[in-house]
Amino acid sequence: MTSTIEPGLGWDPTTLHQRYDEVRAYTETLAAPLSPEDQTVQSMPDVSPTKWHRAHVTWFFETFVLADNEPEFAPFQDKYWFLFNSYYEGIGPRYSRPDRGLVSRPGAHDVGCYRSNVDDRMRDLIDRLDEGTLTKLADTIELGFHHEQQHQELLLMDIKHVLSRNPLQPAYAGSPPPQSTPDTMGWVEVDGGLVEVGHEGDGFCFDNELPRHEQWLRPFRIADRLVTNGEWLDFMADGGYRRHELWLSDGWTRIQTEGWAAPFYWTEVDGVWFEHTLHGTWPVNPGLPVSHVSFYEAEAYATWAGKRLPSEAEWEHAVVSTGSTTGDGSTTGDGSTTGDGSTTGDGSTSSSVTGNLANSTSWHPEAAGPADGGLRQVFGDCWEWTSSAYHPYPGFHPPAGAIGEYNGKFMSNQMVLRGGCALTPAGHARATYRNFFPHQSRWALSGVRLADDGAGAAA
Amino acid sequence: MTSTIEPGLGWDPTTLHQRYDEVRAYTETLAAPLSPEDQTVQSMPDVSPTKWHRAHVTWFFETFVLADNEPEFAPFQDKYWFLFNSYYEGIGPRYSRPDRGLVSRPGAHDVGCYRSNVDDRMRDLIDRLDEGTLTKLADTIELGFHHEQQHQELLLMDIKHVLSRNPLQPAYAGSPPPQSTPDTMGWVEVDGGLVEVGHEGDGFCFDNELPRHEQWLRPFRIADRLVTNGEWLDFMADGGYRRHELWLSDGWTRIQTEGWAAPFYWTEVDGVWFEHTLHGTWPVNPGLPVSHVSFYEAEAYATWAGKRLPSEAEWEHAVVSTGSTTGDGSTTGDGSTTGDGSTTGDGSTSSSVTGNLANSTSWHPEAAGPADGGLRQVFGDCWEWTSSAYHPYPGFHPPAGAIGEYNGKFMSNQMVLRGGCALTPAGHARATYRNFFPHQSRWALSGVRLADDGAGAAA
Amino acid sequence: MTSTIEPGLGWDPTTLHQRYDEVRAYTETLAAPLSPEDQTVQSMPDVSPTKWHRAHVTWFFETFVLADNEPEFAPFQDKYWFLFNSYYEGIGPRYSRPDRGLVSRPGAHDVGCYRSNVDDRMRDLIDRLDEGTLTKLADTIELGFHHEQQHQELLLMDIKHVLSRNPLQPAYAGSPPPQSTPDTMGWVEVDGGLVEVGHEGDGFCFDNELPRHEQWLRPFRIADRLVTNGEWLDFMADGGYRRHELWLSDGWTRIQTEGWAAPFYWTEVDGVWFEHTLHGTWPVNPGLPVSHVSFYEAEAYATWAGKRLPSEAEWEHAVVSTGSTTGDGSTTGDGSTTGDGSTTGDGSTSSSVTGNLANSTSWHPEAAGPADGGLRQVFGDCWEWTSSAYHPYPGFHPPAGAIGEYNGKFMSNQMVLRGGCALTPAGHARATYRNFFPHQSRWALSGVRLADDGAGAAA
Amino acid sequence: MTSTIEPGLGWDPTTLHQRYDEVRAYTETLAAPLSPEDQTVQSMPDVSPTKWHRAHVTWFFETFVLADNEPEFAPFQDKYWFLFNSYYEGIGPRYSRPDRGLVSRPGAHDVGCYRSNVDDRMRDLIDRLDEGTLTKLADTIELGFHHEQQHQELLLMDIKHVLSRNPLQPAYAGSPPPQSTPDTMGWVEVDGGLVEVGHEGDGFCFDNELPRHEQWLRPFRIADRLVTNGEWLDFMADGGYRRHELWLSDGWTRIQTEGWAAPFYWTEVDGVWFEHTLHGTWPVNPGLPVSHVSFYEAEAYATWAGKRLPSEAEWEHAVVSTGSTTGDGSTTGDGSTTGDGSTTGDGSTSSSVTGNLANSTSWHPEAAGPADGGLRQVFGDCWEWTSSAYHPYPGFHPPAGAIGEYNGKFMSNQMVLRGGCALTPAGHARATYRNFFPHQSRWALSGVRLADDGAGAAA
């Protein structure tokens, strides 16, 4: 990742301390509605138990910050080193990922003790930092903030899956949005040419957003809002899941072997489609963005609609060139339209934007607000599948050491998603952010924005 | 199962009420040391979560007793009907067994509420029973007691497995026995001829112990104690797990595919063998019975020792004809030698015997007591593999209705084990009891007693 | 196996030489209708390619006879030692069984050359045998004959499966029997008491038929013919495959996971059931014995019919005590009623019986002949599932060395079948013969004979 | 695909007839050394039996040319329509791909009859074509030529795999090249900027090579020859397969689960590495290009070497801009340097090039010829992994109908390979050709060419 510490930008110990507390507290806020039993279950290998998330993000600070900087460092618990390493080969052996749900101890409360202990040590370290060490360490600490935010989002996606497997149809929290109907989808025309993509400026970014580089784009147009549940019902009614000609071969195989016939969390009861949400199970809401669809489904839908998915360069260029980077009130769920730029001190084109606030009581995409000539629903609804494979940017080199495993080693068999979603913490997303999932993933809060060749792009 | 209600034998409402309270309380005693997280985990498909066991045995009373006899019956919770049905096709669809660990709700406390509710209703029903209904219902209620006792044993076997998967090597409770050395194995000669096997008399038995019938046995001899860990170490040192000629083909395949090289819970660290127990992980104790071995291992050991396993008829006949049915102090772990025959009113040859008491603080087989000419370690150490497939006795017919699924439908691909184990509740085992597991099972507390052809059996 | 060589019984070199030629020639006769491609395919792990069968039986003679007795022995081809070892761990490593169909070379013609080479060497050895060596070797040579006969039967079962996977619905040879209707099923009453089972006398038997020993039987009755296709259609029409209460739990699981809804080779086209046979695909013939059903299906059918399967001891005792050991014209397919007793010199109660001749042109069970007070369809129609697990007889010990792996190591997870089938070579079956397959096996030519408790067996 | 028929370019019936005969004959030439058994085996799901390839390419002409154009068309055999459809959903149901090796009939000879029949009908059709129909059909017929050529290459890759599974280590044909040592790897500097990629001109191309479009490239350098076996041995000696930091996560997982420790066909015997080839098993030849490595291995090697793989646009631009499109004598195996441009009438930058001739007697990559300032080993050695996912070019639309399934539906989870290999038929490859395989594929004849950022590309 790029250096984010610049003299005068505010990363003094007080700010760092305060930011640490905010990020850490939000994780516990998210876990609060969950019982010890809820926090223990792993419903599939992709999912991690809530208490594992809480411990792993703590392990991250202990491993990458405290271990090398704390005088007379000793791990809180030797075996935690093994249990809460996610995938860092450079750190050493680790507990089997698909078996995370088999570990009842440490329990939810024990994990809380682990968190407190590391919090005390981190605060102590931050307060003692001299300026030289600050320069050296703040990047890693800030990475720890963003890492924990990623797990905050994953925690919610994962508990959503856990609760979906329960025949009692339990809810996480909050209440569902009112039924709504889709408004009109508008199209934004974007010029092509030689454009720059990738992160720019002093704000934080992940290593995979660099280096900023040039790409040649043909003129294109892009939808100003996401595809809705109502439109998806039309696709289904038109045989969308039964017409092989709409599908990539790998997607068609999934339909045969896994019986896909609707988005991931939809079930049909007596002819009515219901959707499992974090608020419980409710009738599908036609005005909301469709969510929990795989890349294959997104691509098939686009084919059915006579359109295509945008490439990640197109998406980024569209968002930046139309000034859609600030987020909009309709998608944040908190009425805020200003973002929390003051926290990140980020004024670049890849600016951070407002997502949900910790005191939000709804955890779902929302209906698009009124059209305004730019892109709507960019950052706070659904991660948007692009047509781009998740590959390194030209000239990309991961950082040295175990931290270099953060992103680079996953650059195969995955597709890039852009934007952010209703579960993304406030201030976490930005226009250059590259999320990624395998083509078949459906448990992430993913949706679809259409694109098309522009007027000047005719073959 | 046979009728156990005889006028004057004590199944008056007061006795039934008291027995109900005892059995139900013991389950909660066993669950008490376990956290909500511990109670949630299912570490493999054969294992059920503790809170599932607690709910399922409650469902059993609700389904088979309350549903047809409670005025204006309504289930405590509709979906529990589905969640806590174990395998009764006749009751309706049920939740997938391998997914029991995915259900975080109802939590451990909720299950406690379910238990209290059913307890209240059961006590109310028992107190209101007129004599006619008593005659009709008491068999099923008593089956519910024995059913719950079976799950008490399973609960302990299952949590042992759950904790074994945890790298922190946690313990359930209690403390391990002192290290001991094996005493001499004695042999008891038993005459053959036409003998009767199967349950006799008025005491409770499961349907699979009937009908009592004749079998022709050749003279045989049987070991007066179980094979010890020390002897098993000799077997291993002699290449026991590497010599194909000792093994059934299916067992040899398991060695290849699953890497068997020692009993289930043994691990070698720097040349020393350790054993995971309910008391934590400790060096293997040479004087204790070997436990957690599969049928294949038991059979291979017997071949290596130049002996064989007893058939279930031999086992039963040996125990009954030598008067080894009462249990012995050395195996109960509580100093009691009298059993609890007064509770079951059972004076038959298949008498119930003393196992562990609820206030026991150790959960392991013990070293054999002094030789006394009879069989030692019969009921309170390890379930003993026999050479007999689990098949119906001649003339067996399961009861009508869903309760008929209790035992009969499992009569394929399993082997009979006899005796009882250190986890078996007091008063649960008896000489005619037929336990059964698949050949490859290792998570049950199973051990080995050797047999051999008798002097008069030469071909 | 028991010694079969007795002075004066005819195992002089000339007889041995002649018998060798007969057995070996019959294998090639069976393979003759099959193309090189047919002989190469392995359609599932249980199946072996025809050319593998042809080579393996040859390897058996080379390994167990020539290797230790031929001066300056050298294997025909070093790697054949590895390729054509079926399961003898004592011989050394072997080629993976499920991959036998991946080996295109040696081809069918090359295997013919291997056979010729070993034939020459075997004939040479036999002709040179002095009487002492004869006594020593003839048992193994005769075992080789019976081994090859077992593979003759397997070759036909296997190619039947291979051709069944081909959408062109090809036939092996011959023509189907005319449509027929079931005649009445009669019942034969058999006394119980202490009976002897197991092989007796000087004739050949496999080791698993020994030792002859006593068993106690209750009086029973047994059907005088097999269950027919027509009766099976009634079972199906009555929901046989949809009623859980008829099935063992493991069988019911197979129905769910593998979609069993009819015997193995049956398919329904426009409401008519067809059966794949070695003669091609034809409408199911109601008068013929049902075939290719698993143990689970046999057992469920018996439950549906209010009957049960016979134990292997009952089956053997019924056949011997009713004098049904000679076979009957209707089942041999060749009109012969005398058997080939002269070949085996066997006059014992476990006499060998007549099966199909090499010049038979039909390969299917036939309709039962007229009732005659004894058992019909005993040896030449379908292997008959019994209720007995395949376990060692009391006092059984396998022979020393690799040959001891022939039968004993398979004595788990299998059920005994008795009789013989339409594919069994003439002279191969006898009343004490113990065939065995796993409960779920369906590709073998297996059928169902019902039994029931006798009049004096009431509980 | 683009139209290839232009007036005057020579696609008169005579030329078409002659070209048909050439292509079809070459398939039979390749199959000639293979026995019926060899032609039957399918050694893994990715592999097809030789006789299936021979039939499928025939089915292609029957389905896409004859069916709509032959008067009173009837398929040669109804079921062949089902058996030999590879993956065209638009044509109808098809036989299961992983089961192709289970179909012994039609045999190799029967497939020959099928080929003859379709050949007669195709020749008849071609000879009868009026000019209008010619314009309409010739594209599809030419596609059939290129389709059959693709299967000629696959036939060889597949039989190589089949023979590799045989412990007898058989050879296909020909003799291995002499041992050689690697010469020096040179580097070619290539300017970046806005370049055009994709097919241009009148010659044949597949649909996935279109549309030609612009891409922005940074300056780069590219190796003038492929990585050699000798260099790969250095990589292995330096712990290449044991150092996680060199690998993508998915590749590292393959190493753990599949035990990768060397290229696919390499085995170590007593410290010496041997390679299975179509000429048998021989010591690894250090001067030859490494082959049968996956994308993960290619990428890890490049990381180890401090380099990277070229993108497909870089590869194409390098080949075209350096004039390396004609092939070179050292790689064709036949001494020809002129290509067969006269056959395809292709003078474009994506010109067809010379690969192996039918009369070649060696089937392996060769050592690089002398450096000449351009790229060596471009078309006749190994398919070269690029860093580009196999995605549609901007503006790509597959043709209508079943023929549209040819390429487009496979555009996920695969990587592009460029160039051609020693098994590619003469005249089949060209600079714009896009081959593709999943990241983990190793049975294809794939190799590695390194690239690096150019002098002007510094970050």
Side-chain angles (χ1 to χ4, degrees), chain C residues 34 36-38 40-43 51 77 79 82-83 95 99 101-108 162-163 165-168 170-171, chain D residues 34 36-38 40-43 51 77 79 82-83 95 99 101-108 162-163 165-168 170-171:
Chain C
L34 298 170
E37 293 91 335
D38 292 335
T40 300
V41 171
Q42 177 178 37
S43 48
K51 69 185 176 69
Q77 222 280 17
K79 292 272 178 63
F82 173 78
L83 269 177
Y95 188 73
D99 294 339
L102 306 187
V103 181
S104 59
R105 307 180 192 182
V162 167
L163 298 178
R165 301 298 307 270
N166 192 321
L168 302 179
Chain D
L34 298 169
E37 294 92 335
D38 292 335
T40 301
V41 171
Q42 176 178 37
S43 48
K51 68 185 177 69
Q77 222 281 16
K79 291 271 179 61
F82 173 78
L83 268 177
Y95 188 74
D99 294 339
L102 307 187
V103 181
S104 59
R105 308 180 192 181
V162 167
L163 297 178
R165 300 298 307 270
N166 192 320
L168 302 179

Side-chain angles (χ1 to χ4, degrees), chain A residues 33-44 51 77 79-80 82-83 95 99 101-109 162-163 165-172, chain B residues 33-44 51 77 79-80 82-83 95 99 101-109 162-163 165-172:
Chain A
L34 298 169
S35 69
E37 294 91 334
D38 292 335
Q39 295 197 31
T40 301
V41 171
Q42 176 177 39
S43 49
M44 65 168 176
K51 68 185 177 71
Q77 222 281 16
K79 290 272 177 60
Y80 287 12
F82 173 78
L83 269 176
Y95 189 73
D99 295 340
L102 307 187
V103 181
S104 59
R105 308 182 192 179
H109 176 72
V162 167
L163 297 178
R165 299 298 307 270
N166 192 321
L168 302 178
Q169 303 189 329
Y172 165 69
Chain B
L34 298 169
S35 70
E37 294 91 335
D38 292 335
Q39 295 198 31
T40 301
V41 170
Q42 177 178 39
S43 48
M44 65 168 175
K51 69 184 176 69
Q77 223 279 18
K79 291 272 178 62
Y80 286 14
F82 173 77
L83 268 176
Y95 188 72
D99 294 340
L102 307 187
V103 181
S104 59
R105 306 181 192 180
H109 176 72
V162 167
L163 297 179
R165 301 298 308 270
N166 192 321
L168 302 179
Q169 303 189 328
Y172 164 70

Side-chain angles (χ1 to χ4, degrees), chain A residues 301-349:
Chain A
Y301 180 90
T303 300
W304 173 77
K307 301 290 183 293
R308 60 174 176 82
L309 301 178
S311 71
E312 64 167 326
E314 288 174 337
W315 191 97
E316 182 174 325
H317 180 56
V319 165
V320 172
S321 67
T322 61
S324 309
T325 56
T326 334
D328 62 310
S330 63
T331 65
T332 58
D334 65 343
S336 157
T337 57
T338 55
D340 60 349
S342 60
T343 306
T344 60
D346 184 338
S348 72
T349 52

Side-chain angles (χ1 to χ4, degrees), chain B residues 199-236:
Chain B
H199 188 263
E200 183 181 31
D202 299 325
F204 173 85
C205 75
F206 288 111
D207 56 359
N208 61 13
E209 300 169 50
L210 295 173
R212 188 167 169 88
H213 62 284
E214 292 167 317
Q215 282 219 17
W216 182 261
L217 296 183
R218 312 201 307 174
F220 63 100
R221 58 175 70 96
I222 191 163
D224 76 338
R225 66 155 172 79
L226 303 183
V227 171
T228 62
N229 287 328
E231 288 158 346
W232 202 268
L233 286 164
D234 293 341
F235 169 66
M236 288 164 58

Side-chain angles (χ1 to χ4, degrees), chain C residues 11-83:
Chain C
W11 280 121
D12 58 282
T14 306
T15 306
L16 210 54
H17 192 131
Q18 178 187 334
R19 182 72 178 140
Y20 182 88
D21 286 355
E22 284 171 9
V23 169
R24 297 284 288 169
Y26 188 53
T27 301
E28 295 300 79
T29 301
L30 293 178
L34 298 170
S35 70
E37 293 91 335
D38 292 335
Q39 295 197 30
T40 300
V41 171
Q42 177 178 37
S43 48
M44 65 169 176
D46 286 335
V47 159
S48 295
T50 301
K51 69 185 176 69
W52 187 92
H53 282 298
R54 292 170 58 215
H56 164 67
V57 293
T58 306
W59 169 94
F60 191 94
F61 284 112
E62 197 184 24
T63 301
F64 290 110
V65 179
L66 295 181
D68 288 340
N69 294 283
E70 206 174 35
E72 303 180 29
F73 168 82
F76 178 73
Q77 222 280 17
D78 277 348
K79 292 272 178 63
Y80 287 13
W81 211 253
F82 173 78
L83 269 177

